[in-house]
Amino acid sequence: MVHQHFRLVEPFSVAENVVLGDHRDVGRTFRLHSRAIERRVGELSQRYGLAVDPRARIWQLSLGEQQRVEILKALYKDARILILDEPTAVLMPQESRALFDTIRAMARDGRTVIFISHKLREVKAVADRVTILRRGRSIATVPAADATPQSLATLMVGREIRPARRDGPREVGEACLELHDVGADGDRGLPAVRDVSLTVRRGEILGIAGVAGNGQRELAETIAGMRPPTGGTVRVTGRKLKAGDARAAIGAGIAYVPEDRLGTGLAPGLSVADNVVLKSYRKPPASRGPLLLVRKIRELAEALMQRYDVRASGPDVPARQLSGGNLQKVVLAREFSGDPVVLVAASPTRGLDVAGIEVVHAYLRDAAERGVGVLLISEDLDEIRTLADRIAVMYEGAIVGERDASTATVEELGLLMAGGE
Amino acid sequence: MIRIERRLEQPRWLTVVVPVVSVAVAFLLATLVLLATHHPPLHTFRRLFDAAFLDNGALTETLVSATPLAFTGLCAAVAFRMNLFNIGGEGQLYAGAITGATIALLLGGAPSAVVIVGMIAAGAAGGAVLAAIPGVLRAFFSTSEIITSLMLNYVVALIIDYLIFGSHSYLRDSSGFEASVFPQGKTLPDEATWPSWAIHGLVIPLGALVAVAVAVVVWFLYKRTRFGFEVSVIGDSARAGRYAGMRTRRKIVAVMCLSGAIAGIGGASQDGDFRHQLDPRGLTQANYGYAGIVVAALARYNPFAVLLVAFLLGGLQNAGYTLQGADFPNGLVGVLQGLLLFCVLGGELFIRYRVRIERRHRTAAETA
């Protein structure tokens, strides 16, 4: 198994990492035969074109080289089946090509390689057969030679039997959120958002579709000021936003429903009441000067809990004891109570039951009705097609296409999501 | 099979029952140790208790031990509230003692109130400046504050030694022949002696009252102000803090400074209440800073609980001094104190986790 996130011991050498967890012969003796191990690792890397110095320390290596170490680890243990989980996510294009050669070489030696990817071109380039998974289910297995990006995309997103019930056209006002050439790095320091330009107008829902991990989270965080942009500008109602400053974003009227409810959107150990004023504690009625008005905060929380039907035994319950749907209600209640201009919602229905999803959708519609510009980021194409007025597709950090929601077809969007042209 | 699992919920009654049982277990273990070393257990416990709380002047002595522990305990608790591990209470206390003594000598002759307020302010500033170093490093360079604050303890310990033993500093007593043979700190002027109040033979030093006041301020700050709200949010989830637009870095530095300032006042209290000179030996041997971490942990970072625990632990320490003698070795005192701390701290495990004993299901093959 080659994980997407590497399992390597950074201060150790390549050879040491390769034998780690290997119990066949070195485990039986006390001594590590470093020379022999290094020689064997060297042979393997020659044979499969995995150029890496066995004596180098992991922390000295690039991500691409680290991945080769992961593969060497599996080969050293003589693995017959290799599972590669999105191996190209961390690679440069030329590194990807080298990896494909390695995969081919391994397959020629009679090893089985399972290559997990959401990039259709790669799948076509390297695989013999392709299996499509959708929502945890295996949908179909087809020979790669017969597949076209178009046919794979159709299988990936699926054809809805029931045509998505679309919202009618909304009355749309002037632009309230404008992004111009915004770029940002991901957590690993690689570019995650590339030159994104888009406009959201008052009273409109702009859906951002895309397979998870294509920069949507980073984009949302950049707009919300939690991630410093590497370039570009964000404007709210025409005024330029101070980059990478969450407080400025809140002040400008950007409400943000983060993907990670418990931990980012809410402080798990704090009470519901405290979480309700997470953003508004700086001003009345939650506080006066430096003082926190504890009783007022409780009253505020009780009122909001009632209005948004949050099921909890009281405002003093720690947030972590609430169910997912109720947590999302608390987040939404708070974000709406701040009278936002723009609402950025990242996967707002993930992990919720049907009733919870309905509630969230109702809130989003309601927000648009009241003239809020909504940016809805979701991996659920049906959700986006139901709610959004326009749909932008994000792939590898860039917006690869924008369509009117009423005319876009599932196939067309699926192809864009998978990086096809 | 014994399995330890995290409790999903921590029942309230456990937080009362567990410490009580822990103390009982500690006394049980202590009884075994005492029996093995041929000391009458009940009599020893009685003496221990008397020496800590009942004897003539025992409470006064207990307060002397408890006062610095209250300061260092609050110092640790304040930082832990935001998940900052300030291990530097020790050094910050020294720093406060140095700056406090310096101001006392400089202001000598001024009215007593001015000198004392000056000492408190200087002590707080000294501790805060020292604690700001790991705070800034943590906030802007993600350096572990545990390591940096710990290392600074040794740095300040060496500085304090240098001031008295290694140089002819302003703080060193250089009058007369004796002082040049046995170096010691200059005696502070009379105005720098902190007042104390005697009630029925119990002497309450000003430092103890200041510690209580600090606890009240800390409680208010953390429960009733925006600053405290930000500290609790960031302590619970730093990401949620950033999401809410809080200035996480500034807050880290501010909390470390506050934490250090409290330990620093403890250092000034050492000068003014008890030692009346900068006393390197006494300060560095007492280990108030490290004991303060234990105090904070036992008190679960609640400022009022810190006062209580500091008082109890002060009693235990004080009893140790009284108990040790020809028939009762110093090491045995340490064993008794250690057993008590070990059991009470160990008991914490049972509040957060539960132990499940599972019997393995025997298969038919095994029984056959």
Side-chain angles (χ1 to χ4, degrees):
Chain A
M1 175 87 193
V2 177
H3 292 268
Q4 199 176 352
H5 301 281
F6 303 137
R7 306 279 192 267
L8 296 170
V9 186
E10 298 231 319
F12 282 19
S13 76
V14 169
E16 284 163 342
N17 266 285
V18 165
V19 291
L20 196 67
D22 183 43
H23 302 291
R24 284 170 312 167
D25 41 45
V26 276
R28 267 190 230 129
T29 57
F30 185 68
R31 245 170 58 79
L32 268 181
H33 300 278
S34 346
R35 279 288 149 69
I37 296 164
E38 277 163 21
R39 204 176 325 120
R40 173 104 180 93
V41 170
E43 282 167 20
L44 280 171
S45 64
Q46 279 259 286
R47 170 139 171 228
Y48 291 103
L50 294 159
V52 60
D53 173 12
R55 293 208 187 163
R57 307 267 156 194
I58 296 300
W59 56 267
Q60 299 168 323
L61 303 179
S62 73
L63 286 173
E65 288 173 309
Q66 292 187 18
Q67 186 177 63
R68 286 179 216 149
V69 180
E70 283 282 3
I71 297 172
L72 279 172
K73 234 160 90 175
L75 289 174
Y76 185 88
K77 287 173 206 159
D78 224 8
R80 306 307 303 164
I81 304 172
L82 282 97
I83 305 174
L84 307 176
D85 184 8
E86 297 218 17
T88 54
V90 294
L91 299 184
M92 303 292 187
Q94 64 272 26
E95 286 179 317
S96 296
R97 247 167 278 136
L99 173 70
F100 293 159
D101 292 341
T102 305
I103 291 177
R104 286 256 138 243
M106 292 192 291
R108 262 200 308 278
D109 282 3
R111 298 179 206 274
T112 305
V113 180
I114 301 173
F115 177 86
I116 302 169
S117 174
H118 59 252
K119 295 173 188 169
L120 296 188
R121 259 170 297 165
E122 289 177 1
V123 171
K124 261 214 49 97
V126 74
D128 296 312
R129 287 183 304 135
V130 186
T131 294
I132 285 111
L133 295 179
R134 194 196 318 150
R135 291 195 185 153
R137 271 202 210 123
S138 165
I139 299 298
T141 300
V142 294
D146 302 349
T148 63
Q150 186 83 41
S151 69
L152 291 178
T154 311
L155 286 167
M156 270 172 73
V157 288
R159 197 186 293 269
E160 265 308 283
I161 300 158
R162 156 182 75 84
R165 182 173 48 87
R166 281 220 15 88
D167 290 4
R170 294 189 181 86
E171 240 171 74
V172 170
E174 78 275 27
C176 57
L177 175 70
E178 294 161 278
L179 268 61
H180 186 70
D181 285 342
V182 170
D185 287 346
D187 292 334
R188 292 184 178 209
L190 291 174
V193 177
R194 302 165 206 260
D195 301 331
V196 168
S197 298
L198 49 84
T199 305
V200 184
R201 284 164 295 178
R202 281 183 176 279
E204 136 182 277
I205 299 181
L206 172 64
I208 300 228
V211 178
N214 272 295
Q216 297 99 315
R217 186 170 60 86
E218 289 83 355
L219 176 66
E221 287 178 0
T222 309
I223 298 172
M226 289 183 68
R227 187 175 287 274
T230 48
T233 53
V234 178
R235 283 171 194 281
V236 177
T237 53
R239 211 168 308 142
K240 196 177 159 216
L241 209 61
K242 198 176 157 205
D245 183 348
R247 194 180 289 192
I250 296 165
I254 295 182
Y256 173 37
V257 178
E259 193 176 292
D260 168 33
R261 256 159 252 154
L262 206 57
T264 304
L266 299 167
L270 264 55
S271 70
V272 173
D274 284 345
N275 274 300
V276 162
V277 293
L278 196 60
K279 284 182 173 177
S280 58
Y281 71 94
R282 284 183 212 101
K283 46 185 202 277
S287 62
R288 194 170 51 215
L291 297 185
L292 217 57
L293 302 176
V294 179
R295 204 167 308 152
K296 274 273 167 49
I297 291 173
R298 270 198 99 221
E299 284 168 15
L300 268 169
E302 273 170 350
L304 275 184
M305 285 172 75
Q306 189 137 47
R307 204 166 112 214
Y308 288 89
D309 190 32
V310 178
R311 308 265 165 83
S313 49
D316 301 321
V317 188
R320 75 158 67 84
Q321 291 183 10
L322 268 59
S323 72
N326 281 308
L327 289 174
Q328 194 66 306
K329 280 186 205 165
V330 174
V331 175
L332 288 165
R334 180 188 64 219
E335 295 305 302
F336 284 141
S337 65
D339 278 329
V341 180
V342 177
L343 172 68
V344 179
S347 307
T349 56
R350 176 184 286 174
L352 300 188
D353 57 15
V354 182
I357 292 173
E358 281 304 314
V359 171
V360 172
H361 285 181
Y363 285 154
L364 294 178
R365 285 195 182 98
D366 184 45
E369 210 93 312
R370 285 190 289 162
V372 177
V374 179
L375 187 70
L376 169 65
I377 297 172
S378 176
E379 290 132 47
D380 186 344
L381 201 50
D382 293 338
E383 175 171 278
I384 286 196
R385 293 208 328 133
T386 313
L387 292 172
D389 301 294
R390 285 183 298 136
I391 301 171
V393 178
M394 209 165 168
Y395 176 72
E396 299 206 323
I399 300 287
V400 290
E402 203 181 298
R403 298 285 185 271
D404 196 284
S406 53
T407 55
T409 64
V410 175
E411 288 78 13
E412 186 182 6
L413 294 170
L415 195 58
L416 285 170
M417 282 166 67
E421 274 75 40
Chain B
M1 271 279 276
I2 298 177
R3 285 222 309 220
I4 296 179
E5 308 174 326
R6 195 165 233 273
R7 278 182 199 279
L8 294 177
E9 280 173 62
Q10 300 173 6
R12 262 229 127 84
W13 59 268
L14 263 181
T15 57
V16 180
V17 171
V18 167
V20 172
V21 175
S22 303
V23 171
V25 170
F27 275 103
L28 200 72
L29 291 175
T31 306
L32 293 180
V33 172
L34 289 171
L35 286 175
T37 52
H38 308 291
H39 290 91
L42 282 179
H43 177 66
T44 309
F45 292 144
R46 184 67 213 259
R47 270 180 66 198
L48 197 80
F49 194 71
D50 285 351
F53 303 112
L54 294 184
D55 281 350
N56 233 347
L59 275 179
T60 301
E61 284 304 310
T62 293
L63 273 187
V64 171
S65 303
T67 301
L69 291 180
F71 281 111
T72 52
L74 286 168
C75 156
V78 160
F80 285 150
R81 275 290 183 98
M82 208 171 84
N83 274 335
L84 287 172
F85 293 87
N86 181 10
I87 313 296
E90 185 82 23
Q92 289 143 22
L93 183 124
Y94 302 163
I98 295 173
T99 49
T102 309
I103 283 291
L105 289 170
L106 284 173
L107 291 182
S112 190
V114 174
V115 179
I116 291 169
V117 170
M119 286 171 76
I120 293 178
V129 167
L130 187 69
I133 299 171
V136 168
L137 289 174
R138 164 67 197 266
F140 294 93
F141 304 99
S142 304
T143 320
S144 163
E145 76 282 4
I146 302 177
I147 308 290
T148 48
S149 63
L150 176 68
M151 289 314 188
L152 279 175
N153 289 346
Y154 301 107
V155 173
V156 190
L158 289 172
I159 290 176
I160 206 172
D161 264 1
Y162 173 76
L163 286 174
I164 301 301
F165 302 118
S167 69
H168 291 279
S169 73
Y170 179 62
L171 290 158
R172 179 171 169 178
D173 186 4
S174 49
S175 63
F177 171 74
E178 204 186 332
S180 64
V181 181
F182 304 105
Q184 58 172 0
K186 246 184 230 166
T187 306
L188 302 183
D190 286 344
E191 296 84 10
T193 302
W194 292 17
S196 58
W197 294 269
I199 304 165
H200 301 298
L202 165 64
V203 182
I204 302 174
L206 176 67
L209 298 181
V210 173
V212 173
V214 168
V216 173
V217 169
V218 165
W219 175 84
F220 184 82
L221 193 65
Y222 275 18
K223 285 286 170 198
R224 290 285 185 273
T225 67
R226 279 166 40 176
F227 177 87
F229 183 73
E230 293 178 343
V231 169
S232 2
V233 172
I234 296 168
D236 191 63
S237 163
R239 271 190 75 79
R242 286 205 300 123
Y243 166 74
M246 292 170 186
R247 310 280 198 249
T248 324
R249 291 177 168 173
R250 277 189 221 172
K251 216 97 298 170
I252 290 174
V253 178
V255 167
M256 282 301 277
C257 284
L258 176 67
S259 170
I262 294 171
I265 297 175
S269 142
Q270 286 294 304
D271 297 338
D273 276 322
F274 309 118
R275 302 185 190 271
H276 308 296
Q277 56 158 290
L278 185 63
D279 176 9
R281 285 269 150 73
L283 286 175
T284 49
Q285 279 167 7
N287 283 331
Y288 294 129
Y290 300 112
I293 296 166
V294 176
V295 170
L298 283 175
R300 285 199 204 97
Y301 320 134
N302 177 311
F304 298 124
V306 164
L307 295 180
L308 181 69
V309 174
F311 180 72
L312 295 176
L313 222 58
L316 191 64
Q317 228 172 51
N318 170 34
Y321 299 136
T322 320
L323 219 57
Q324 71 193 49
D327 60 328
F328 208 91
N330 186 16
L332 197 53
V333 175
V335 168
L336 295 188
Q337 291 173 342
L339 274 176
L340 198 56
L341 287 181
F342 175 82
C343 288
V344 175
L345 285 175
E348 292 283 297
L349 177 85
F350 296 98
I351 296 179
R352 253 177 292 156
Y353 299 88
R354 70 172 158 211
V355 179
R356 262 189 24 192
I357 300 170
E358 288 176 352
R359 227 175 276 169
R360 255 202 246 159
H361 297 286
R362 285 190 186 191
T363 59
E366 271 175 328
T367 38

